Amino acid sequence: MTGTRLILRGAALGIAGLVAVAGGRAGAQTRRAKPAAKPTPAAAAATVPVTLELEPRAIDILKAASATLAAARTMRFTAVVSYENPSLLGPPLVYTTRSEVTLQRPDKLRVITTGDGPPAEFYDTGTQLIAFAPAENLVAVADAPPTVDAALAKAYEMAAMYFPFSDVIVADPYGDLAGSLKLAFYIGQSKIVGGTTTDMIAYATDAVFVQAWIGADDKLPRRLRAIYAADPAQLRHDLELSDWQLDVAIAPDAFASARAASTTRIDFARPDPMLPPGLTPPTAGKPTTPARKK
């Protein structure tokens, strides 16, 4: 929900970026007041005073959404992620994935993902982390830590696995965000997104600028749209959340896969191999070493 870890490639939306965003809004007001002296964007950013403010109304909405999510012992939802990638001609292409998410606190998670690429399944059974690739019929297994938060961290550290909706399912979404917030403001209401009335807010950290649509009544996030400062192309990452079910009964076998349990195992490891010091990557065109089997 925080959006600070919404997409892996997030890096730093520096103060300059925040100034540019806020300055754009203030700059428009300045231009209306003095139409004869239309400033350039650079001049506007340099002359318009900008205050990085955490508006209480926006913070209250973030806290309410966080509290609603944190209080749920179980949850189910659908996450549709759309992310842009530059094409060979320059203009970005957009790719989409759809994940069906089931969570049971403190230590069980299932994520079934399909989309513009190979399907993938992830399970935290409470004792094991299981990453299953149905198309390749390969599975990686590791011991599970005691919480979903720790499981998400371990999956990223061991295998560079990350879910764009991780901030929605951690134990304390607002707590993870609060220390890095630089800007937050209320935009207004929408009656379009999620088929319900949502409060629109925007917030930013040193890493990312996020616009969020949060249910006005149920306080559940419906959409998050992020742009990262370290991305020179300012590509957009969009996360739509729907089909929310909180505190529902979940069958005990929901967090296991019979097919994954019987398929070929590979290492639970990062896709980018870590070479020992002094070694160089293999020459392009030469065959690579196949994945080790257990």
Side-chain angles (χ1 to χ4, degrees), residues 70 88 188 201 224:
L88 293 176
I201 62 172
L224 298 169

Side-chain angles (χ1 to χ4, degrees), residues 204-260:
T205 70
D206 284 339
V208 62
F209 181 87
V210 178
Q211 182 174 353
W213 288 256
I214 296 173
D217 295 326
D218 60 19
K219 311 304 179 187
L220 291 172
R222 296 308 203 285
R223 186 181 180 191
L224 298 169
R225 192 168 187 263
I227 298 175
Y228 294 90
D231 179 3
Q234 295 289 277
L235 300 175
R236 287 153 291 192
H237 307 259
D238 201 87
L239 171 63
E240 294 185 12
L241 301 161
S242 62
D243 304 325
W244 281 103
Q245 300 178 58
L246 302 185
D247 292 322
V248 294
I250 297 175
D253 62 356
F255 302 98
S257 167
R259 183 181 172 191

Side-chain angles (χ1 to χ4, degrees), residues 1 6 70 117 142 167 182 249 277-278 288:
M1 198 269 299
L6 184 63
D167 293 336
K182 303 297 183 184
T288 57

Side-chain angles (χ1 to χ4, degrees), residues 21-31 48-50:
V21 171
R25 300 168 69 213
Q29 296 170 4
T30 300
R31 286 193 292 274
V48 176
V50 175

